[in-house]
Amino acid sequence: MENLELLAEPDLVGRENELETLQHYLDLAVQGKGTTVFVSGEAGSGKTRLVNEFLSASKQKRDINQLSGWCLSNSVIPYFPFMEAFNVYSSGYSKKGSSSGMRQGGLQQGLEKEGLVVDEELGLRAWLMGPGKTERKRELEELSPQAWKDSTFAAVTKALFSMSAKKPTILFIDDLQWADTASLTLLQYISRFIASEKVLILSTFRSEDLNPDSEGHPHPLADTLRLMSRENLYKEIKLQSLNRFSVSLLAEDMVGGHIQADLAEKLAVESQGNPLFIVESLKMLLEGGGLIQENDRWRLSTGKIGIPTKIKDILVRRLGVLKPAQRKMLEIASVIGYKFNPELLASVAAQDSLETLETLNSIEQSTSLVIGEGDMYRFDHGKYREALYEEISQPLRRAYHGRIAERIKSSRSAAGKLPVGDLAFHYAEAGNKEKAVKYSLDAGQEALKIYSGTEAIKHFRYVLDATTDIEKYADEMMIALEGLGDGLYAKGRCGEATEVFERLSKNTTSNSVKARALGKAIDASFFWGEYSRTLDYADRIVEYPELTPLERARVRFNRAKARAWGGEFVETSSAHYLKEMEESLRVFEGEYSLSDIHSTLLEMTTAYVSNDQLENAIAAAIRARALSEFSKNAGETAMVASWMSLTYSITKLEDEGLKALEDAIRVNEKISDPVSRAFVETTTYWMSGQLIEAKAASKLFSGLPLETMRSFGAGAKFKFFMSSLISGALRDFKQSLKAAIAQSLKGAACADETDSYFYKTFNYGNLVREYSLLGDIEHAEEYYKKLKKIFDDTSISGIFHSRAAYASVRATYFSSRKKWKEANQFHEEAIAIYDSGQIAGDRTMPIAGERQAYCWDLLQQGRFSDAKIQFEKAKRAMEDLDRRFEHSNVIGHIIGPARVKLGIEFNMRLDLINVAKNPAVLIQIEELVPSEFSIVSMQPSYNVQKNAAELEKKSLKPFTDDAITFTLKATKTGDFNLNPQLIYVNELGETKICKVDPISITVLPPDAVGSSQKGDA
Ligand SMILES: Nc1ncnc2c1ncn2[C@@H]1O[C@H](COP(=O)(O)OP(=O)(O)O)[C@@H](O)[C@H]1O
Ligand SMILES: [Mg+2]
């Protein structure tokens, strides 16, 4: 103990550059240019030390907020680092309502002092804890998991930004390699928004820990880093090992004197410049008398103790200084975790808590192996916990885990809110299968509730593995299967999810579970791209008596959707599936289920187009977008915005399409989940690549002087002629192609985040075409191979839409290689499929586009008269389309419940959409509501006289939805028809009438059963 003072922490050495870099990023953050900075390096390289040094220095220099969180070594509590950072975590082991309330009070007061209200509806703590954890409004409890996550992320971001609005704020999270995936996505999300905020995010991680797990799944942090780097969201400081000079400096500082060259050399070589190694080996040597001072210099005392080559050996040897009772204490602590609650420790060790605290205190004093922090203790370094843990014999380890689980459970029984993830972990490690299964199921459900797919998968997989073929666990297995499917689906692993739901549907004995499983299999298989399966599942359950009318309508709708896309698998005509969709829509409207309505409408757009009802298609897309605002799920909204661009693309309204995509990108910002984002982004980039390309192509095309071309022959001569004639336009076109490629590449990267080959084909197809057109044969081939593999290996070639698109892409690909026979053949094939009427989505514009490309190729082959035929057909079609949306054209649609009760208020909505490039002026709505209904309120409010509303010459802008919403009350029972008509004036001053499709409402007596409005608006 005589060397005690020498064991003090050495001064920081050799990190001047890193400190300067950190300072630079803080300066930027202070100017409102926030960044996320990762400090990475191996265990013991000095990450934590560097950041702490920096934090305390900057605290002295500037008035800043500092929030610090750290990660649990077994990442079982979602959002734990953020709860720590915002000081809202109530420890997993505390006495009746003690610290949680106080801590929250502390935060609340703290934030209020900063002039903040964290969240109007819920405290930050409640959001982070997840649904069902605290008392709160029922309406919020019913949020979908995805929406819950979006709101949580928004609340945390808001809290952080209101703090940083007052003064610059540093958020520090240590040991990110242990973070749960919810925290990782939250970190990524916040990073996206700090570029113009006074926020610096600092985080450390162990670089050697990012290996894939035993099943080859990437480490969650590795995943996050890849996603973040794609968006350029972070900077990284990689900590190098200390150089020889710094090693000596450090050592001399520690021993408090000069050291012999030989010792310096040995330290540097053995430690390879790892500070933890150096610090700990010196402590070991000093404690064990391995160092002696001679001639004013320290050297190794001969032979007695050398320096081990492995850090773990040093650590284990240092643990040797502990007395047996101390050692036992720390062993138990190492089973609890890197940071541990002394009370839990005492209880597990069956010791008096005072005694435990005394032991910990003496360990801290004599060895600094543990450090007290607030109510908690932690190991000086994570490596100590690992070394100790590994030293415990297997049976003892299990017994400790079991005891810990029991103690956690009994201490919490009063409060009733168990840290189920913790329990699942400890019981599993204890080998207590029954309890591990029980708590893993709970933990899995909790993970699903906060939309944390990775954790959910882990928990449910455990259950399935543990219960295979064990009769008495049949129920648990079914729950785990469903949960696993949900988790996989949430992670965009649609194929695996489909298989799991299918397995569940076969194994369950409950009809309602079976119906639910098949319902979920329908969604998963559709996203995956396996429409024949979607159809099969739908056929199997559509007549199930267990389905409610709403559920049955959903199945029918999905079946129609799969038919629309599925092509070859079905005989149905587009008119037939449009009808089925319309009927489902009636049911959704009758139930006033807005989220069903908007997704149905979106899907109906392609069905309308197939039936040449382009105006209805556009109106449906615009309504879908307007109604999606009522969805609390940003993912759905962004999806609608993104997909509606397809409608604009096939109606040749490219600029509207691009506008829709800008909107999609804006909404997508709000989405917390990377997989949902990937689906939206891949669609967005696919379409924007396509729209940019299509716009450029038709511009180039319209300038073709076809009549004068004949005399210039084919091949090289033709090429020369073309390039001199339209060189400027060609250059523009190439520029546009490059812009399109940039979009499609991003889209492909997003699609690769999922296993949906359907989505992958979009962007791969774009890339083959765009590279081919650009003449970049090499890249074209790269993506052609990928695309071909999907078509060869999967059932996607059975889908008409995909097959047509594939043929079209191949035509361009072969034409770029001057293989005219193939090129021509594929052009013909694409046109034929588009023209067959089987396809979801139209013929007109895709065919015109195809003919345009075909014409181009025929010209190069010197086939002028054939080229002219294609040219003329394409041109006519495009001109028709341009004209079709010229004059103001208002389409109205009314949504109301099918049944209401007398005297009870209900909602109704009238959408007015102008499907034209010119505005319309609304004059009046006649027959607005039957006189038996009284209008309680109306938004916007108009003057209603004798059932007619005067609209004060309201102007309806092109391609927008102006809705009027009503709250009504029926004053009489019976059946009533609503049959409104709109009077408007078009841009030529002509008066027009728009008849809205009528609906009927049945008014029931107030005591009738099962008929109230169910809706979300
Ligand atoms: N540059 C340095 N100068 C002096 N001591 C250091 C330096 N870097 C790390 N240390 C010491 O080495 C040990 C391990 O550092 P730590 O920051 O905990 O490593 P990490 O967080 O990278 O695992 C600590 O005792 C720390 O004080
Ligand atoms: Mg550390």
Side-chain angles (χ1 to χ4, degrees):
M1 284 302 98
E2 68 267 10
N3 287 321
L4 193 59
E5 74 280 8
L6 302 180
L7 294 177
E9 200 74 1
D11 283 344
L12 189 80
V13 301
R15 297 290 187 223
E16 293 76 15
N17 291 342
E18 287 80 1
L19 284 172
E20 218 168 90
T21 311
L22 287 173
Q23 187 59 50
H24 168 69
Y25 291 126
L26 177 59
D27 290 342
L28 285 179
V30 170
Q31 295 162 32
K33 294 178 207 152
T35 346
T36 295
V37 180
F38 290 129
V39 177
S40 67
E42 58 177 14
S45 57
K47 306 175 290 291
T48 307
R49 177 73 197 274
L50 172 70
V51 175
N52 281 336
E53 201 86 12
F54 173 69
L55 289 180
S56 52
S58 31
K59 187 113 210 175
Q60 279 170 10
K61 270 191 264 171
R62 272 204 190 99
D63 189 18
I64 47 177
N65 296 312
Q66 286 185 4
L67 306 175
S68 298
W70 46 277
C71 301
L72 286 172
S73 45
N74 35 35
S75 67
V76 280
I77 298 174
Y79 299 123
F80 182 82
F82 285 91
M83 295 190 207
E84 282 290 314
F86 286 93
N87 199 16
V88 295
Y89 183 69
S90 69
S91 130
Y93 187 84
S94 59
K95 277 176 289 175
K96 287 170 224 123
S98 66
S99 67
S100 66
M102 279 170 51
R103 274 174 168 233
Q104 195 187 6
L107 171 82
Q108 221 65 39
Q109 281 165 16
L111 293 179
E112 269 156 28
K113 214 169 57 202
E114 303 288 340
L116 304 177
V117 185
V118 180
D119 187 86
E120 290 81 14
E121 302 196 72
L122 283 183
L124 210 46
R125 173 182 152 80
W127 282 115
L128 290 167
M129 293 289 278
K133 284 296 184 126
T134 49
E135 282 176 31
R136 56 167 74 100
K137 287 188 197 160
R138 253 203 45 229
E139 177 200 331
L140 290 167
E141 283 291 334
E142 284 164 5
L143 286 181
S144 73
Q146 163 86 71
W148 183 276
K149 193 168 177 182
D150 291 345
S151 308
T152 305
F153 281 25
V156 174
T157 311
K158 195 170 148 201
L160 186 64
F161 289 179
S162 9
M163 249 181 189
S164 67
K166 303 263 159 177
K167 48 181 158 163
T169 301
I170 303 180
L171 170 64
F172 170 43
I173 296 178
D174 204 6
D175 285 318
L176 201 63
Q177 75 278 357
W178 291 329
D180 58 286
T181 51
S183 297
L184 290 174
T185 38
L186 176 52
L187 187 75
Q188 179 186 356
Y189 178 90
I190 300 178
S191 301
R192 199 175 286 134
F193 294 101
I194 56 174
S196 50
E197 302 289 332
K198 290 189 213 149
V199 175
L200 175 64
I201 299 179
L202 286 179
S203 186
T204 67
F205 66 83
R206 274 193 202 173
S207 39
E208 74 269 28
D209 274 13
L210 303 194
N211 298 323
D213 67 11
S214 52
E215 286 165 38
H217 297 304
H219 189 285
L221 176 57
D223 249 351
T224 303
L225 291 176
R226 185 174 43 80
L227 292 170
M228 287 181 74
S229 73
R230 204 176 69 210
E231 292 182 71
N232 213 352
L233 289 182
Y234 71 88
K235 305 282 189 289
E236 184 173 351
I237 298 177
K238 294 185 179 165
L239 279 195
Q240 307 297 337
S241 44
L242 296 178
N243 61 26
R244 273 167 195 246
F245 176 70
S246 302
V247 172
S248 304
L249 215 58
L250 200 170
E252 298 199 329
D253 186 43
M254 270 196 81
V255 299
H258 294 298
I259 60 170
Q260 224 186 27
D262 185 43
L263 173 59
E265 169 76 13
K266 259 214 166 89
L267 269 179
V269 171
E270 299 300 343
S271 71
Q272 295 183 5
N274 181 305
L276 177 69
F277 191 110
I278 302 162
V279 169
E280 295 306 315
S281 49
L282 285 171
K283 283 183 187 168
M284 174 193 79
L285 291 167
L286 288 165
E287 281 165 355
L291 288 187
I292 50 169
Q293 205 169 14
E294 197 178 74
N295 303 333
D296 210 21
R297 282 186 187 266
W298 290 88
R299 66 166 172 81
L300 283 171
S301 65
T302 36
K304 251 171 73 190
I305 319 172
I307 303 173
T309 48
K310 283 213 214 87
I311 180 99
K312 193 184 155 208
D313 296 339
I314 300 176
L315 303 180
V316 170
R317 268 166 60 184
R318 269 209 71 210
L319 294 171
V321 305
L322 294 171
K323 298 193 189 87
Q326 294 178 324
R327 168 102 187 203
K328 180 180 160 203
M329 189 106 287
L330 288 199
E331 283 184 354
I332 301 176
S334 81
V335 184
I336 298 177
Y338 168 62
K339 205 164 184 172
F340 52 90
N341 185 316
E343 273 194 54
L344 175 60
L345 179 60
S347 150
V348 175
Q351 251 194 13
D352 178 58
S353 38
L354 184 64
E355 207 179 312
T356 305
L357 287 171
E358 282 167 358
T359 311
L360 290 172
N361 190 46
S362 73
I363 301 175
E364 182 175 10
Q365 294 293 319
S366 62
T367 67
S368 67
L369 283 168
V370 291
I371 295 165
E373 266 177 7
D375 296 345
M376 306 279 279
Y377 266 89
R378 69 169 173 85
F379 285 94
D380 177 35
H381 196 273
K383 278 280 168 194
Y384 272 116
R385 191 198 74 78
E386 289 155 38
L388 268 161
Y389 186 76
E390 283 164 25
E391 291 290 296
I392 311 172
S393 73
Q394 191 80 6
L396 186 57
R397 232 192 255 174
R398 289 174 145 220
Y400 282 149
H401 276 295
R403 182 76 73 81
I404 291 166
E406 291 300 334
R407 292 295 185 268
I408 293 178
K409 208 176 103 195
S410 56
S411 75
R412 274 311 188 94
S413 52
K417 283 166 208 148
L418 290 170
V420 285
D422 253 349
L423 288 174
F425 170 75
H426 287 295
Y427 277 126
E429 294 296 320
N432 183 339
K433 186 183 277 188
E434 198 166 323
K435 295 220 164 114
V437 165
K438 175 176 156 37
Y439 289 110
S440 293
L441 284 180
D442 289 351
Q445 304 292 3
E446 246 181 31
L448 286 178
K449 275 194 209 149
I450 61 150
Y451 210 70
S452 191
T454 311
E455 277 77 16
I457 293 170
K458 203 171 75 192
H459 291 300
F460 292 123
R461 276 248 160 82
Y462 168 81
V463 174
L464 290 172
D465 289 345
T467 58
T468 325
D469 297 329
I470 304 178
E471 196 68 40
K472 69 167 180 170
Y473 286 121
D475 291 346
E476 283 82 358
M477 268 189 81
M478 294 307 118
I479 299 174
L481 268 179
E482 182 164 1
L484 176 62
D486 290 341
L488 288 166
Y489 185 57
K491 291 287 291 174
R493 286 152 67 180
C494 313
E496 289 167 80
T498 306
E499 305 291 358
V500 170
F501 290 132
E502 172 150 3
R503 200 173 130 202
L504 174 63
S505 76
K506 286 191 178 135
N507 289 331
T508 179
T509 49
S510 144
N511 271 350
S512 64
V513 173
K514 189 174 198 137
R516 205 167 58 227
L518 288 171
K520 289 178 177 181
I522 287 176
D523 290 336
S525 58
F526 188 85
F527 262 90
W528 189 21
E530 283 287 348
Y531 304 137
S532 58
R533 288 205 189 196
T534 311
L535 283 175
D536 179 40
Y537 299 138
D539 283 338
R540 271 157 64 191
I541 52 165
V542 72
E543 298 307 335
Y544 260 49
E546 279 80 5
L547 299 181
T548 65
L550 197 62
E551 285 166 346
R552 179 158 307 110
R554 282 184 194 134
V555 173
R556 284 187 65 199
F557 163 67
N558 277 311
R559 187 173 61 177
K561 184 167 92 170
R563 283 191 174 140
W565 289 93
E568 194 169 66
F569 304 113
V570 282
E571 307 279 283
T572 348
S573 70
S574 51
H576 182 273
Y577 59 69
L578 176 58
K579 192 164 153 270
E580 254 209 295
M581 288 181 181
E582 279 175 335
E583 282 169 13
S584 313
L585 182 66
R586 287 288 162 270
V587 177
F588 300 143
E589 291 181 339
E591 300 275 342
Y592 215 77
S593 173
L594 294 182
S595 65
D596 282 307
I597 297 173
H598 74 69
S599 47
T600 310
L601 280 172
L602 180 67
E603 205 51 56
M604 284 172 73
T605 55
T606 45
Y608 277 130
V609 175
S610 306
N611 288 277
D612 199 37
Q613 301 181 26
L614 302 187
E615 292 75 10
N616 280 336
I618 296 173
I622 296 172
R623 277 174 65 212
R625 177 65 189 90
L627 290 171
S628 71
E629 286 294 341
F630 292 96
S631 154
K632 294 203 177 74
N633 189 338
E636 283 177 8
T637 311
M639 213 52 169
V640 173
S642 175
W643 272 100
M644 77 186 287
S645 66
L646 179 66
T647 311
Y648 285 125
S649 142
I650 46 194
T651 47
K652 201 171 176 290
L653 294 162
E654 286 101 355
D655 289 330
E656 295 302 323
L658 289 167
K659 257 191 262 167
L661 292 175
E662 278 172 30
D663 173 39
I665 290 169
R666 223 175 8 249
V667 183
N668 204 35
E669 288 280 285
K670 291 189 207 140
I671 304 178
S672 56
D673 172 63
V675 177
S676 311
R677 287 177 60 89
F679 277 122
V680 175
E681 275 179 81
T682 190
T683 315
T684 304
Y685 292 127
W686 162 53
M687 279 314 301
S688 84
Q690 197 142 304
L691 287 168
I692 292 172
E693 188 195 321
K695 219 177 135 178
S698 34
K699 193 171 153 208
L700 185 64
F701 185 73
S702 63
L704 272 189
L706 212 72
E707 295 302 336
T708 54
M709 275 185 192
R710 184 174 294 266
S711 49
F712 287 89
K717 204 170 148 201
F718 168 78
K719 219 170 163 189
F720 175 75
F721 160 78
M722 285 305 294
S723 52
S724 56
L725 189 73
I726 51 172
S727 62
L730 214 62
R731 219 177 11 250
D732 284 353
F733 182 55
K734 293 215 159 174
Q735 270 330 102
S736 302
L737 275 178
K738 284 183 187 157
I741 286 172
Q743 299 289 303
S744 307
L745 278 174
K746 285 197 218 168
C750 292
D752 286 342
E753 297 300 323
T754 75
D755 68 352
S756 167
Y757 47 76
F758 178 57
Y759 275 84
K760 288 180 207 223
T761 57
F762 296 158
N763 286 290
Y764 293 169
N766 266 8
L767 286 165
V768 177
R769 198 180 53 246
E770 287 151 6
Y771 279 125
S772 296
L773 289 171
L774 201 61
D776 183 340
I777 304 286
E778 207 175 304
H779 280 108
E781 188 170 344
E782 178 190 336
Y783 286 97
Y784 182 68
K785 280 189 184 147
K786 287 190 179 199
L787 190 63
K788 186 165 183 305
K789 190 165 163 34
I790 297 180
F791 275 88
D792 289 348
D793 294 353
T794 71
S795 68
I796 201 165
S797 58
I799 297 166
F800 276 120
H801 176 273
S802 303
R803 205 204 290 156
Y806 187 38
S808 166
V809 163
R810 287 171 117 183
T812 314
Y813 176 73
F814 283 105
S815 110
S816 74
R817 318 184 131 224
K818 307 276 172 282
K819 295 198 170 167
W820 301 121
K821 197 175 135 250
E822 288 89 343
N824 295 346
Q825 186 192 320
F826 286 124
H827 281 308
E828 300 274 354
E829 184 181 329
I831 292 171
I833 308 174
Y834 283 130
D835 207 17
S836 68
Q838 289 278 23
I839 226 161
D842 173 5
R843 11 244 239 177
T844 316
M845 189 53 202
I847 295 178
E850 198 58 40
R851 290 191 193 287
Q852 182 178 292
Y854 195 12
C855 162
W856 197 251
D857 286 352
L858 289 167
L859 281 176
Q860 295 185 61
Q861 297 164 52
R863 292 170 57 183
F864 290 100
S865 44
D866 291 336
K868 199 164 168 221
I869 294 172
Q870 299 300 334
F871 178 80
E872 246 128 49
K873 283 188 177 168
K875 199 162 174 205
R876 208 171 320 123
M878 293 198 195
E879 283 167 0
D880 281 352
L881 278 174
D882 282 339
R883 266 196 303 273
R884 193 155 169 177
F885 307 105
E886 196 57 44
H887 303 309
S888 11
N889 180 6
V890 178
I891 293 184
H893 196 95
I894 192 158
I895 307 175
R899 282 180 302 277
V900 298
K901 283 181 194 170
L902 186 69
I904 307 252
E905 292 181 6
F906 64 94
N907 295 326
M908 233 180 58
R909 177 180 167 107
L910 177 62
D911 288 282
L912 307 172
I913 304 127
N914 178 14
V915 190
K917 294 170 197 162
N918 279 298
V921 178
L922 287 174
I923 305 297
Q924 201 186 46
I925 309 175
E926 293 171 353
E927 314 272 328
L928 186 57
V929 284
S931 49
E932 291 83 356
F933 292 0
S934 65
I935 299 179
V936 180
S937 62
M938 185 177 178
Q939 227 341 316
S941 184
Y942 295 106
N943 180 18
V944 183
Q945 298 271 325
K946 287 192 205 144
N947 288 351
E950 298 302 326
L951 295 175
E952 298 149 12
K953 299 202 170 169
K954 180 179 171 51
S955 169
L956 271 188
K957 286 197 281 250
F959 305 109
T960 46
D961 183 341
D962 280 80
I964 306 176
T965 53
F966 308 87
T967 302
L968 304 176
K969 206 172 2 181
T971 57
K972 225 176 135 183
T973 56
D975 294 331
F976 300 93
N977 281 330
L978 274 74
N979 202 2
Q981 290 190 34
L982 309 169
I983 319 277
Y984 67 95
V985 177
N986 73 6
E987 88 280 8
L988 303 173
E990 301 161 346
T991 302
K992 298 270 171 187
I993 295 179
C994 154
K995 286 184 192 283
V996 177
D997 277 347
I999 61 168
S1000 59
I1001 297 182
T1002 302
V1003 181
L1004 301 163
D1007 49 357
V1009 274
S1011 57
S1012 65
Q1013 179 167 330
K1014 202 175 136 187
D1016 25 3

